Amino acid sequence: MKDQRIGHVVIVGGGTAGWMAAAAFSRFLNNGYTKVTLVESEEIGTVGVGEATIPTIQTFNGMLGINENEFMRATQGTFKLGIEFVDWGGLGERYFHPFGVYGHEIHGVHFHQLYLRARSRRPMPDISNYSVSSVAAAHGRFGRPSGAGSSPVQNLAYAFHFDAGLYARFLRNYAEALGVKRIEGKIVDVGVRGEDGFVESIRLADGQRVAGDLFIDCSGFRGLLIEQTLKTGYEDWTHWLPADRAIAVPTRNVGPPDPFTRSTARTAGWQWRIPLQHRTGNGIVYSSAFLPDDEAESILLSNLEGEPLASPRRLAFTTGRRKQAWSKNVVSIGLSSGFIEPLESTSIHLIQTGIARLLALFPDMSFSPIERDEYNRILQAQFEDIRDFIILHYHATNRTDSAFWNQVRTMSVPETLRRKMELFRTKGRSFREGVELFDVTSWVAVMLGQNIVPQGYDPIADALDPDGIAGVLDQMRAAYLQAAQGLPTHAEFIARTCAAPTVDFAPMQKAGMA
């Protein structure tokens, strides 16, 4: 009987996507039979898919057995408790999208429903006061989840900010130690089998030919294998998400790092600020149809908090997804499979999802269509879920100060998003279904934060005594504040546990305590 096992996996492209894939395959395909080769060229720069993440990255690192403190030191990382949004719902407004949950259910009733009922009866503080991650972020505090019994710190959820290039280097060391072979070279040709159109090999500029059974396309936006060779097609979402440009620039730190990402809405897009140990990442995402490149760069540079450490770097993109993330014997992962702007830090999560689903549906040489179709179905659902959540940020706004905001505020949205918004507007209901990434807390945070105020609340909340619940809510808020204030400052925690050897945190700690 012919051996049907995959003998050789070839990863085309390095960067974050390529080395995340290589690290995962080196760990989970370590079967004594399957070899993994990664081909990349130092001549071709990597985009660096992002420096901010969401909590699922902990699962990926944990699967690889990575020590978190070592990882943070190697990548100049800081901790992230959520995202602060400035000027999104309206000019002068801000809100916080936290990781974790708001409060806790009482007798099966969602916390936010109890909050909505209480708000209909009396003035209430912002809902962010009922999230330990939000309160800790507001006070510049951080600590890993801990505590016995009902300590609110148990519910503190977090992710990371890190240098994407250093993360790729960290994973390269990990993967090569487990046997992944790296080949330096620029691909000049792709060999395809005549009988079925499967990719057979790639040829490098030096004449070297690399054959494989399964090819992983991590070549970035160009999609060398998935698009240029197999021509799978691309679904363009620019009509919903018109931003198609980004400019990035690092700056010198001006104080202790905040434990959160900041996103500030601008005239025709938004600006990010991501604090790392050794620098701060900044950038602007915008629509070139509404804002010229030079003007966008001027807006970015005039709103920096520290001295620029490099020249601004420009990037063009088209929001959307590959119509088939897996075609024949090629699986696209990372930017080659699609792109959604990093407003909610989902780029690395989509890489992680692609890798995890591929391992769960790993093929043999028969390349069963049912496995391929299931992979494509799941990736499509994940992309569309994230797409809808990002569209929500643009569409749910009261801004009328520019043509850009007037367009996104009044545009038609996908039916899937329209239903979610209408369901929330009536009685504040939100449900997590299927493979959706964002939970109820996330939808509630953005919709309330951007002024989608429900007309009522779930009647089931009326089964609970309102005066008794009011006392419980007040106790929760006090407990979260006390727990957050008992944590060390973000700078202190990093200095104690995972500071990079090249960073002096003493001045930052002093500034954080002032």
Side-chain angles (χ1 to χ4, degrees):
M1 183 177 177
K2 185 178 180 181
D3 192 341
Q4 290 285 85
R5 294 178 297 177
I6 297 290
H8 192 191
V9 178
V10 178
I11 302 170
V12 173
T16 310
W19 286 111
M20 282 182 72
F25 295 160
S26 71
R27 167 70 176 82
F28 294 103
L29 299 179
N30 189 13
N31 52 23
Y33 180 79
T34 304
K35 65 177 182 176
V36 180
T37 300
L38 185 146
V39 180
E40 66 176 340
S41 171
E42 293 181 355
E43 294 179 30
I44 302 174
T46 59
V47 172
V49 296
E51 297 181 325
T53 59
I54 59 177
T56 53
I57 188 68
Q58 293 182 58
T59 303
F60 183 81
N61 285 353
M63 286 183 353
L64 298 182
I66 290 173
N67 178 280
E68 188 168 286
N69 288 339
E70 292 178 4
F71 147 74
M72 294 290 280
R73 277 190 287 269
T75 62
Q76 300 275 2
T78 61
F79 295 93
K80 175 183 174 182
L81 295 170
I83 306 174
E84 181 185 46
F85 288 94
V86 180
D87 292 341
W88 280 86
L91 287 170
E93 299 179 3
R94 64 179 63 212
Y95 69 94
F96 195 80
H97 172 194
F99 297 139
V101 297
Y102 290 125
H104 57 77
E105 290 186 359
I106 300 178
H107 297 301
V109 181
H110 281 300
F111 171 82
H112 78 275
Q113 292 291 352
L114 300 173
Y115 174 83
L116 290 173
R117 183 181 66 163
R119 198 165 78 164
S120 73
R121 294 165 55 88
R122 62 178 175 132
M124 290 287 289
D126 188 82
I127 196 170
S128 62
N129 289 274
Y130 300 90
S131 159
V132 68
S133 295
S134 288
V135 179
H139 289 80
R141 306 278 175 159
F142 181 79
R144 292 191 175 104
S146 63
S150 58
S151 170
V153 180
Q154 289 187 103
N155 295 320
L156 191 144
Y158 66 94
F160 312 108
H161 305 122
F162 54 67
D163 185 312
L166 293 179
Y167 186 49
R169 184 186 305 171
F170 180 82
L171 293 178
R172 174 182 171 179
N173 292 337
Y174 177 101
E176 289 185 321
L178 289 178
V180 171
K181 179 182 178 183
R182 177 190 179 274
I183 296 177
E184 165 67 31
K186 186 176 181 180
I187 298 171
V188 296
D189 189 41
V190 179
V192 176
R193 285 201 312 240
E195 64 269 25
D196 57 14
F198 277 45
V199 172
E200 197 170 38
S201 64
I202 54 176
R203 183 167 59 84
L204 307 184
D206 63 1
Q208 183 178 182
R209 178 177 174 273
V210 182
D213 301 320
L214 173 65
F215 289 82
I216 310 300
D217 188 343
C218 298
S219 63
F221 291 128
R222 60 183 179 146
L224 177 63
L225 303 183
I226 197 71
E227 188 59 45
Q228 291 186 16
T229 302
L230 299 184
K231 303 187 186 308
T232 55
Y234 195 79
E235 188 172 302
D236 188 338
W237 291 338
T238 304
H239 52 293
W240 287 314
L241 294 168
D244 60 351
R245 297 286 190 275
I247 305 173
V249 62
T251 57
R252 193 178 306 280
N253 287 336
V254 295
D258 289 320
F260 57 86
T261 304
R262 176 174 293 147
S263 168
T264 303
R266 299 297 184 199
T267 304
W270 57 280
Q271 181 173 333
W272 76 77
R273 190 201 65 169
I274 300 173
L276 306 179
Q277 291 189 35
H278 61 318
R279 61 174 171 81
T280 298
N282 308 272
I284 187 169
V285 173
Y286 61 99
S287 170
S288 61
F290 293 89
L291 189 66
D293 295 338
D294 289 345
E295 188 175 340
E297 184 172 311
S298 177
I299 290 173
L300 171 63
L301 295 178
S302 64
N303 286 283
L304 298 177
E305 295 178 356
E307 173 193 350
L309 297 175
S311 299
R313 186 166 61 103
R314 297 185 179 185
L315 176 70
F317 57 85
T318 301
T319 299
R321 68 171 187 89
R322 204 68 62 188
K323 291 182 178 179
Q324 295 180 70
W326 178 347
S327 177
K328 302 185 186 296
N329 66 332
V330 172
V331 178
S332 57
I333 291 177
L335 299 178
S336 61
S337 66
F339 181 76
I340 299 176
E341 61 187 79
L343 183 59
E344 285 283 354
S345 310
T346 52
S347 297
I348 288 176
H349 172 79
L350 284 168
I351 295 171
Q352 179 181 338
T353 295
I355 293 168
R357 294 298 179 180
L358 178 57
L359 288 171
L361 293 163
F362 200 75
D364 57 21
M365 292 296 289
S366 67
F367 287 96
S368 170
I370 191 64
E371 294 167 346
R372 176 203 63 209
D373 292 348
E374 180 67 5
Y375 182 91
N376 286 333
R377 182 190 69 81
I378 293 170
L379 264 291
Q380 176 180 343
Q382 185 95 125
F383 263 92
E384 290 176 351
D385 167 52
I386 295 172
R387 173 203 68 190
D388 285 2
F389 193 57
I390 301 304
I391 293 172
L392 171 66
H393 295 66
Y394 286 104
H395 187 58
T397 184
N398 294 324
R399 289 188 61 162
T400 59
D401 55 292
S402 71
F404 173 83
W405 289 107
N406 284 333
Q407 174 174 308
V408 295
R409 177 175 48 80
T410 60
M411 68 181 174
S412 297
V413 299
E415 177 63 18
T416 45
L417 174 59
R418 188 196 66 78
R419 287 200 310 270
K420 280 184 177 289
M421 293 176 69
E422 288 304 312
L423 195 61
F424 190 80
R425 278 195 180 100
T426 54
K427 293 184 177 66
R429 292 186 173 110
S430 181
F431 304 99
R432 189 177 192 175
E433 300 173 355
V435 296
E436 290 182 2
L437 171 61
F438 296 102
D439 60 14
V440 171
T441 296
S442 294
W443 287 94
V444 169
V446 177
M447 286 200 265
L448 285 183
Q450 296 197 201
N451 305 307
I452 299 181
V453 180
Q455 297 161 8
Y457 56 86
D458 194 328
I460 198 172
D462 285 333
L464 301 177
D465 172 55
D467 294 330
I469 294 299
V472 172
L473 296 187
D474 291 343
Q475 290 171 12
M476 278 188 198
R477 182 161 60 95
Y480 292 151
L481 178 59
Q482 183 180 19
Q485 291 177 332
L487 296 172
T489 68
H490 187 214
E492 288 171 341
F493 186 87
I494 294 173
R496 293 175 191 172
T497 61
C498 55
T502 56
V503 177
D504 180 8
F505 263 84
M508 294 188 185
Q509 291 182 71
K510 185 176 181 181
M513 294 166 62

